[in-house]
Amino acid sequence: MKKWGAMLLALMLVVMAGCKGQPASEPEREPEQTEEAVGDQAEGEETPAQREFDGQIKIGLLTTGTAIATYTETVTYGAELAARQLNAAGGVLGKEVVIVPSDGSNTADETINGANRLLEDPEVAAVCGYPLSTGCLAIESLFKQAEKPVVISGTSVRLKDETDNNYLFRGRASDAIQARNAAAFLAEELGMNEVMGILYENNDFGQGALQVVEEYCKENGITLVAEGFNPTDTDITTQVLKLKDSGCQSVVTWIAASAVPTVSSNMYNQGLTVPKCGPVAVTLEENLANCEPEWIDGWYGVTDICMTKEDKALKDFIAAYYEAFGDDAYLSNEGANIYSHVLWICDAIERAGSTEGPAIMEAMRSTEKFPGLNGNYQLIGDKVDYVATIDIAQDTIVDGKVTNVFIKTVGEEQ
Amino acid sequence: MKDKRSILKYFPLLMLGMIGILPLFMTSNYYQTICCQAMLYAVVALGLNFIVGLSGLMTLGTAAIYGLGAYTSALCCTKLGMNPWAALVPVLFMGWLIGKGLGYPSLRVQGVYLSLATIGFNEIVRSFLTNLEWTGSGTGIRNIEPYRIGDFAFDTQIRSYYLIYAVLLLFIGIAWKIVNSRWGRAFVAVKDNPEALQICGIDIANVKITAFTLSSVFAVVAGAMYAHFNRYITPATYTTDLSISFVVMLIIGGLGNFWGCIYGAYIVAFLPQLLRPIGLSYKLIYALIMMCLVVFFPNGLIRDMKKYLTFKRALKGGAASENNSQDR
């Protein structure tokens, strides 16, 4: 009997704790902040609650759930901020913009389930979100079938090369642009153009970059030394020493957030001092905080948006974000990207004058220089890619703390 | 009382019937997809039951076998242009091969060592699939064609549902036959009394290898079905986490409990989805519920519930007879 009582009590406590939460995938926020969080809403203006809308336009938001909780937080806030600002300005087609989150848990199967949940709702006009490349590859056909646009953030080149789907929109630079520019920066800007190393994770993310860098080195007559490691490895001394012994002049380090401390400390400890350029993970504040400043000092990183860049639209976004969700809210370029994606979708809905999938798709395809925070959005080639620029930042110690310093924007401006 | 028991006896059949008519009421693609996943998990769990449930050998490499089935079929169809049905031949061969390959180490190592060896196998397979270019590297294989019969393609959710349902029924039949054959009894004997088995002149090594082979065949076929249902596969799916989930299905259903495999598969597939409205903490709650199930129902949900109900009934019966005697 005691057993049953204890079990019931535990279950009740757990369910009570869980039910206190909010809709799936939406991070907690202070209730009082939601009222005031309307970005640059002027005083005396009607609040969204007061304004009467002629119905709703739902934008689906696929998140990575607890799999990458920081992404989920910033992505949800970014989308929410865009919706609030749009609603404060009268909505879209006179309708209130509502964000509908759905958890994809960062696995292919769960991303399919998350996408199906959103597609079940006939009021969802379009979807954006942050599933990684494998998730995007798994769901793209669902959106084609449902004739609803989806703005993805997966960067694999296969999303462009192997799909034939006009409903698929990539709102950030692909691996082809990111990894290629990382290699090009090291070779062309820093002049390390004889032997290049690449340290990559043995997964779709790392493999994708490896292919691109291999291609770049082949085209430019650079000898490439490639070393891979498993994402769960806690020591990569062997790979680092091999790179060091190969005499490479620079290293492209294509690693995810969790590997940043391991890789940077191993490289520092083994004295691999050549210039390194990594993906966005090596520029994110929370990853830098996990490293001793000297481990990561001087590293370069390619990122969708360098958050310290002097750019008015970016500064306004950052100010509105913290005003809306508090100074403790986590913000990274993923949140800024999704903010841009929601605005882009709503701009297309406005131009299409309809919430029908095919009309939105046509409007999005015919976008001309939509000003996103991560660059101008315009179709590149004939499908999928819409953003061609990225920022290069350098991790630099300022007052004993590592911070990003904006170096330059690279890629072809549209 | 007798009537109630006979109804309970037919409950599994009733459940299978309900699974069959479910799509008539549940038209949502979302739920139909999860049902398909649950049915495929159930096929894997039925096979795994031979090793873990009946023979008492703990293997944690089932996801790799499931993945190899998926990749064999997908590669045969996309690279060699084979018909998906014809691809089942190399898939079955792969199952046989893995079963033999994994069965032999199980003769030398047992318990936690066997678990570690099979985890190693899982990681090796996943690493290979991630790194080989012809398996699509980390991003996997796309555009896998669906099964067809003539011009009729199993390319919609509802069609796939009934195809997978038919496969589930077929494998339930096969598993039932095996469990109730001399092989099934030999599997149980490996766990309960291997010495007696040897005295009877039965080759334990052969029994273990057969258990592994049968289990692998179930897993590879389910994997192949998954590839043609999903039409996209990636190595990231076949992690040790998935292998653990397969074992959890058996534990929740009750190790060695035939129908428990199916209940367990449905619970593991559906419970996280049902908990989603709670918010981001749903995974924590899912894990806690799983822990509670394992701690409080160590013999499986159905078996322990039955035990509890029987015990309650006995208590009631005892109390009633006491009352009757007092009345008299």
Side-chain angles (χ1 to χ4, degrees):
Chain A
M1 204 59 209
K2 267 184 187 171
K3 234 182 187 183
W4 288 96
M7 187 178 80
L8 273 174
L9 192 69
L11 271 177
M12 274 170 64
L13 282 171
V14 160
V15 171
M16 276 163 68
C19 291
K20 207 179 81 180
Q22 14 4 78
S25 305
E26 194 176 351
E28 284 181 34
R29 64 176 157 269
E30 298 295 323
E32 64 272 21
Q33 287 171 339
T34 56
E35 292 299 318
E36 60 189 65
V38 198
D40 46 6
Q41 188 182 330
E43 247 181 69
E45 200 180 319
E46 268 185 323
T47 65
Q50 291 166 320
R51 180 172 290 118
E52 283 204 3
F53 291 105
D54 178 24
Q56 289 185 335
I57 290 176
K58 290 184 183 173
I59 308 290
L61 179 70
L62 261 175
T63 71
T64 50
T66 46
I68 312 180
T70 48
Y71 275 18
T72 304
E73 180 177 346
T74 188
V75 156
T76 310
Y77 285 161
E80 193 63 34
L81 179 63
R84 288 180 192 182
Q85 290 183 347
L86 288 163
N87 291 336
V92 174
L93 302 178
K95 296 176 197 286
E96 182 188 13
V97 178
V98 176
I99 303 296
V100 185
S102 181
D103 175 12
S105 296
N106 202 29
T107 66
D109 280 358
E110 281 305 315
T111 308
I112 290 173
N113 291 338
N116 271 330
R117 266 195 310 278
L118 291 172
L119 291 171
E120 286 293 301
D121 186 345
E123 286 181 28
V124 170
V127 173
C128 59
Y130 239 85
L132 301 185
S133 296
T134 46
C136 298
L137 283 162
I139 59 169
E140 62 91 11
S141 60
L142 297 176
F143 286 89
K144 187 179 181 181
Q145 220 171 356
E147 297 189 335
K148 283 188 182 173
V150 56
V151 183
I152 54 163
S153 299
T155 50
S156 168
V157 284
R158 290 185 70 187
L159 281 158
K160 179 163 187 167
D161 295 347
E162 294 181 18
T163 57
D164 179 23
N165 184 351
N166 285 342
Y167 288 88
L168 190 64
F169 299 85
R170 174 154 49 201
R172 62 189 293 219
S174 68
D175 277 343
I177 296 167
Q178 293 200 24
R180 194 180 174 88
N181 275 298
F185 178 77
L186 293 171
E188 293 163 29
E189 293 281 327
L190 305 184
M192 310 293 177
N193 51 13
E194 284 170 21
V195 185
M196 186 179 285
I198 177 168
L199 183 71
Y200 63 96
E201 288 194 359
N202 268 335
N203 54 22
D204 58 324
F205 174 63
Q207 294 276 348
L210 175 65
Q211 282 171 20
V212 173
V213 174
E214 266 176 347
E215 207 173 286
Y216 174 82
C217 288
K218 207 174 167 187
E219 281 170 21
N220 293 280
I222 299 169
T223 307
L224 182 70
V225 183
E227 287 296 329
F229 67 99
N230 285 319
T232 47
D233 286 354
T234 51
D235 186 273
I236 50 150
T237 305
T238 316
Q239 289 90 331
V240 171
L241 287 175
K242 278 186 185 172
L243 285 171
K244 197 179 168 191
D245 292 346
S246 72
C248 58
Q249 301 164 299
S250 61
V251 182
V252 175
T253 44
W254 219 251
I255 54 177
S258 55
V260 174
T262 309
V263 171
S264 61
S265 66
N266 279 205
M267 284 187 165
Y268 178 78
N269 290 332
Q270 301 307 326
L272 186 64
T273 52
V274 297
K276 299 145 198 115
C277 189
V280 62
V282 306
T283 67
L284 294 178
E285 200 184 304
E286 82 268 21
N287 299 339
L288 300 181
N290 290 332
C291 304
E292 292 296 330
E294 61 271 22
W295 295 351
I296 199 93
D297 182 31
W299 280 47
Y300 295 96
V302 292
T303 173
D304 302 287
I305 309 160
C306 175
M307 302 303 270
T308 56
K309 181 163 70 170
E310 285 301 322
D311 177 272
K312 191 184 175 301
L314 182 63
K315 296 278 175 214
D316 289 348
F317 162 76
I318 294 170
Y321 186 95
Y322 286 126
E323 193 191 335
F325 306 110
D327 291 339
D328 292 338
Y330 172 69
L331 169 64
S332 72
N333 63 78
E334 287 85 13
N337 280 347
I338 291 294
Y339 170 82
S340 304
H341 297 170
V342 172
L343 293 181
W344 181 29
I345 290 170
C346 291
D347 171 70
I349 293 174
E350 198 84 65
R351 282 187 284 118
S354 162
T355 54
E356 293 298 315
I360 304 171
M361 179 271 285
E362 288 297 344
M364 287 177 81
R365 275 180 68 82
S366 59
T367 300
E368 281 182 21
K369 292 192 175 182
F370 176 80
L373 293 175
N374 57 332
N376 289 334
Y377 289 43
Q378 187 168 319
L379 183 59
I380 303 167
D382 60 343
K383 60 184 179 182
V384 180
D385 280 330
Y386 287 78
V387 178
T389 53
I390 50 156
D391 291 344
I392 292 188
Q394 187 175 27
D395 299 329
T396 309
I397 301 176
V398 178
D399 298 331
K401 201 182 152 202
V402 186
T403 189
N404 288 167
V405 173
F406 174 69
I407 303 289
K408 63 189 293 197
T409 297
V410 292
E412 287 169 32
E413 266 294 353
Q414 297 182 76
Chain B
M1 194 63 74
K2 205 178 175 186
D3 287 343
K4 266 190 189 173
R5 276 188 191 162
S6 56
I7 290 169
L8 277 177
K9 203 171 130 190
Y10 291 109
F11 183 74
L13 295 178
L14 194 71
M15 180 191 69
L16 285 179
M18 275 172 64
I19 294 175
I21 57 167
L22 211 56
L24 303 178
F25 310 103
M26 204 174 59
T27 51
S28 148
N29 267 354
Y30 166 54
Y31 284 113
Q32 283 179 6
T33 305
I34 297 163
C35 279
C36 289
Q37 287 167 356
M39 286 191 286
L40 291 172
Y41 288 166
V43 173
V44 179
L46 281 167
L48 192 60
N49 192 35
F50 299 140
I51 309 177
V52 181
L54 301 179
S55 307
L57 303 166
M58 184 53 79
T59 167
L60 290 171
T62 315
I65 306 172
Y66 185 58
L68 284 171
Y71 268 85
T72 306
S73 193
L75 287 169
C76 284
C77 295
T78 54
K79 304 269 181 195
L80 306 176
M82 280 173 82
N83 180 303
W85 296 112
L88 279 173
V89 177
V91 165
L92 288 170
F93 175 71
M94 177 61 82
W96 175 82
L97 203 65
I98 303 166
K100 295 280 176 199
L102 273 184
Y104 281 107
S106 76
L107 306 177
R108 292 191 166 272
V109 287
Q110 280 186 344
V112 72
Y113 300 102
L114 179 61
S115 306
L116 287 173
T118 48
I119 288 174
F121 169 72
N122 205 120
E123 283 306 302
I124 290 166
V125 169
R126 201 182 56 77
S127 287
F128 264 107
L129 296 176
T130 308
N131 287 289
L132 294 175
E133 210 167 295
W134 54 274
T135 58
S137 304
T139 43
I141 303 173
R142 294 188 67 251
N143 297 329
I144 305 164
E145 61 172 307
Y147 285 102
R148 285 172 198 280
I149 298 176
D151 290 336
F152 184 85
F154 293 92
D155 56 356
T156 62
Q157 226 71 349
I158 189 87
R159 289 176 182 183
S160 299
Y161 185 99
Y162 279 108
L163 176 67
I164 296 171
Y165 178 60
V167 171
L168 174 67
L169 291 182
L170 175 71
F171 276 83
I172 285 174
I174 296 170
W176 182 261
K177 199 85 185 145
I178 294 169
V179 167
N180 293 297
S181 70
R182 70 185 185 91
W183 279 114
R185 288 186 287 277
F187 294 155
V188 177
V190 166
K191 180 172 71 175
D192 293 342
N193 202 340
E195 291 82 11
L197 211 62
Q198 275 173 325
I199 290 166
C200 293
I202 296 170
D203 183 4
I204 292 184
N206 194 25
V207 173
K208 282 185 180 177
I209 291 169
T210 306
F212 268 99
T213 309
L214 287 170
S215 170
S216 301
V217 166
F218 275 56
V220 289
V221 172
M225 301 300 297
Y226 168 83
H228 294 277
F229 160 65
N230 231 20
R231 303 180 69 181
Y232 170 66
I233 50 172
T234 158
T237 307
Y238 309 105
T239 56
T240 310
D241 284 359
L242 183 61
S243 293
I244 293 170
S245 292
F246 287 133
V247 176
V248 169
M249 289 171 206
L250 293 191
I251 293 172
I252 288 171
L255 285 173
N257 186 328
F258 185 83
W259 297 108
C261 302
I262 299 162
Y263 304 137
Y266 268 82
I267 290 172
V268 170
F270 267 93
L271 192 57
Q273 311 298 335
L274 298 175
L275 292 172
R276 276 178 193 278
I278 291 169
L280 278 179
S281 46
Y282 84 94
K283 277 198 174 164
L284 169 78
I285 292 163
Y286 170 72
L288 281 169
I289 292 175
M290 286 295 158
M291 269 173 61
C292 289
L293 286 175
V294 172
V295 171
F296 295 104
F297 301 94
N299 299 310
L301 199 55
I302 305 297
R303 209 179 276 163
D304 278 344
M305 282 295 270
K306 267 187 192 169
K307 262 190 196 169
Y308 172 71
L309 290 174
T310 315
F311 176 66
K312 215 175 127 187
R313 219 176 283 137
L315 273 184
K316 260 189 187 174
S321 59
E322 226 169 72
N323 285 343
N324 286 343
S325 61
Q326 277 174 5
D327 287 346
R328 262 180 243 140

